[in-house]
Amino acid sequence: MTDTSLWDAVKAEEQQSQENQVTIEECYAGLGSSYEKVVARLGKRERVEKFLSRFPADESYPTLCGAIEEGRGEEAFRAAHSLKGICMNLGLETLYGAANALTEALRGRRVTGEAKMLFAQVRNEYDRTTSYIGKLAEP
Amino acid sequence: MKKKPLLLIVDDTEMNRAMLADMLAADCEIIEAGNGVEAIEILERRRHELSLVLLDIVMPRMDGFEVLAVMNKNGWIQQVPVITISAETASSYIDHAFDLGATDYISRPFDEKTVQRRVRNTIMLYSKQKALEGMVAEQIVEKERNNFLMVEILSNIVEFRNGESGLHVLHIRILTEILLRKLLEMTDRYSISASRLALIVNASALHDIGKISIPEEILNKPGRLTAEEFEIMKTHSAVGAQIMENALQHHHEALIQIAYNICRWHHERYDGKGYPDGLEGEEIPIEAQVVALVDVYDALTSIRIYKPAYSHGEAMRMILAGECGSFSPLLLECLKSVGPHLTEELKVRSIDAVSEGNIRELSSQMLVDSQVSHRTFSLLEQERTKYQFFASMSNEIQFEYSYQTDILTLSEWGAEQLGCGTVIERPERNKELGGVISGEDYQDIKRRLHAVSPEHPIVSNIYCLRVKEENRWYKAVARPIWDGETQERMVSVIGKFTDVHEEQLRLEKLKRQAAQDSLTHLSNHSAAREIIGKRLAVHGNQSAVVLFDLDNFKEANDKYGHMFGDEVLKHVSREIRRSMREEDIAARIGGDEFLLYIEYKGNVEDIIRRIFNTLHGRYKKFEISVSMGIALAPENGVKYEKLFHAADQALYAAKKDGKNRYCFYDDSLEGLLSVLSPMDH
């Protein structure tokens, strides 16, 4: 492969990734919510962008995973509850729906079979959400 | 720029805290806590700075409800408003938070406008409320600043309980002022402004306020206090200071701060041997040093239940010899330098200061005799016009009496008040005047005026006048004027009557309260002793001193409790009041011990038996019986102490013979033990 072809390949890859990027409107739309509604509630576009981009780093989800796996009901409930709250605030409605159902299932502070099932839904929705957020263009 | 309010955000999710902080950062300073335990730690240290807490409910370690519970327990919830945040919209959650004292709640998802509005409203509401509270406190301070009547009443209560003359507080004020002025004249070591001086003088009246906590038996004990009693007595300075400190919590007033210093440290001594703190030298605030010294001086020169009054000279000697503890050498110099005038100053200034100046000015004008020049005469006329003018506005009944003409002249306002003419010839035999003032009182004034000397010319007393069909109390102040040259012959008398009816009633009430036992409303021992002593001295009738106590009273207390015991005592007091005649005297002299004083004619045993029988009965579950000892005057003695002691021994005999009986004193009982005071006498 010549130097030129290497260069072309790099450029092609870059282009591919740029085509995969989404705007924040597209992101919200893809996750089943309305960006404009969230902005209206939280007051500022920058605020929505800032906190949405920080969502993948929030501790609630990893805590929830660990607690479900090891059967710690109390911790699982609180983590699900926190996740639900954050989703509400950020307007992540589909993930909120899943987290809310899980929170109710965990209200007895026991990791039941039903809770594990609902957790699987949360996991799917969380992965989808974070991958969308990962595709957000750098502001 | 106005300081931003400080806000505490408590939420376990970092992202939620950050989002709220982001929404509120423009209006508030923000601190954060990640759970309830951290929140409590912050509240403990900084709650006074906080304007608001935003509190999440579901948190690890300690949840929001528990934080609210702790805030309630410590009373913080009244100081800092709380808004709860929760994703839980179930009304039971919200209700529970409100029940625990939360002011408002914010539900998720956060809405910027809602969050900002709720926070702003809550902070405003609370700061308005705080400002209102501040205003009310301010008004109270203002009221009290003007209300020295309160200071006066408080010090009166202390004095009456103290059995002091009622002049002590006034003397302390006067002496404090004299000594402070002298001190400022002699040194500039202490910077005391005129207004601070006035405050110190006012505060000095409160120096013994702590004595309201000292039991009357100790306050009014005639003999020496035991070491234990003295320790109790000594607590009055710290108690007084505590009273002032409590007042300071509500409003920081210079007067109260000064009163605190005086109350706490007016028994400290310059060498550090005083109490309660053993302060030394200039560690003792100067106001407390001054009051300490004048307190000692007045105590020495006044009569007390445990001592006679010493002369000024003797008092000075004792103070300078260090017999009353050590004082600042400079203050002692001041005292020495004002010393020669103190006796007179106290006397003169104890009478209403304003009218006194008036009188002095007047009297100098009155000194003129018949050979006045025309000029003097016209000056005198001018003075009289002035005098009449002021008299017409002063609401005092002013008068002037001339010995030579036997004519009494009243000020116009005074004559109108009394319903007499302004000129009364031969006042002693005047009918109109006789209807106003009783012959007895008239003679009393006359006698007092005859007894005075040019050095101490002023007489003062309280009389009851009948004015417009109504009896009212008046204070009379008067003085004779002597012949100009020789000062041997009284030529006239000038003076005034001031209506003191309301004050007098107030004082009478205080006196009565002070003389009464609060539980039974009978007299207390010291009041009864005073009255009985006087009766014995004057009347010379046959009389009986009766002492009795309730048999098995301890049992009533032990079995049914002290509340019941008190009820029994009240019941017995009612029975006593019912069975006694108006002129009899009844007093409660100790726990369940009572004293009666009865003047009688005929067979005393009949009377005693009647009283003894009425006292028997049943109060609810308790069977009342009494043991009684009786001493008779003049058979067993004519002095109170002797009779009391004899009745005490008779009571002991009655108890020894098996209780529930009465026993008359006879000489065979002498030497028996005493019931009431087994250690003393």
Side-chain angles (χ1 to χ4, degrees), chain B residues 134-150:
Chain B
M135 269 162 64
V136 170
E138 191 57 34
Q139 277 168 0
I140 292 171
V141 168
E142 192 61 36
K143 224 171 165 180
E144 284 181 3
R145 191 182 288 142
N146 298 328
N147 199 351
F148 283 116
L149 187 64
M150 200 195 65

Side-chain angles (χ1 to χ4, degrees), chain A residues 79-101:
Chain A
H81 190 273
S82 291
L83 182 63
K84 161 186 143 178
I86 294 165
C87 293
M88 257 175 137
N89 283 333
L90 289 173
L92 303 171
E93 282 165 31
T94 318
L95 180 53
Y96 159 71
N100 188 32

Side-chain angles (χ1 to χ4, degrees), chain A residues 40-44 47 50-51 54-55 58 60 77-78 81-82 84-86 88-90 103 107, chain B residues 12-16 18-19 22-23 58-61 86-88 93 108-113 116:
Chain A
R41 184 162 52 72
L42 292 181
K44 278 191 243 169
R47 183 175 291 145
K50 174 176 154 195
F51 285 101
R54 281 165 65 174
F55 176 73
D58 179 68
S60 309
F77 169 76
R78 272 205 312 269
H81 190 273
S82 291
K84 161 186 143 178
I86 294 165
M88 257 175 137
N89 283 333
L90 289 173
T103 306
R107 201 168 278 283
Chain B
D12 59 325
T13 310
E14 195 272 338
M15 192 135 92
N16 284 337
M19 196 180 280
D22 194 47
M23 289 174 175
V58 179
M59 291 185 292
R61 290 186 72 191
S86 184
E88 304 287 340
Y93 254 72
R108 292 200 176 90
F110 297 151
D111 176 299
E112 186 193 34
K113 298 271 167 347
Q116 289 173 347

Side-chain angles (χ1 to χ4, degrees), chain B residues 590-606:
Chain B
D592 63 329
E593 286 139 2
F594 295 86
L595 172 124
L596 298 175
Y597 176 78
I598 303 158
E599 289 175 358
Y600 68 93
K601 293 192 178 84
N603 188 342
V604 66
E605 186 151 4
D606 288 346

Side-chain angles (χ1 to χ4, degrees), chain B residues 198-243:
Chain B
L199 286 177
I200 295 176
V201 171
N202 271 322
S204 71
L206 293 167
H207 69 287
D208 270 344
I209 199 75
K211 283 194 179 165
I212 56 179
S213 73
I214 308 294
E216 266 170 76
E217 303 83 73
I218 296 179
L219 264 187
N220 294 321
K221 188 177 174 186
R224 244 188 134 69
L225 296 181
T226 64
E228 198 181 323
E229 288 166 336
F230 190 54
E231 282 309 312
I232 295 173
M233 188 63 142
K234 274 159 73 171
T235 60
H236 84 270
S237 47
V239 170
Q242 189 57 49
I243 292 173

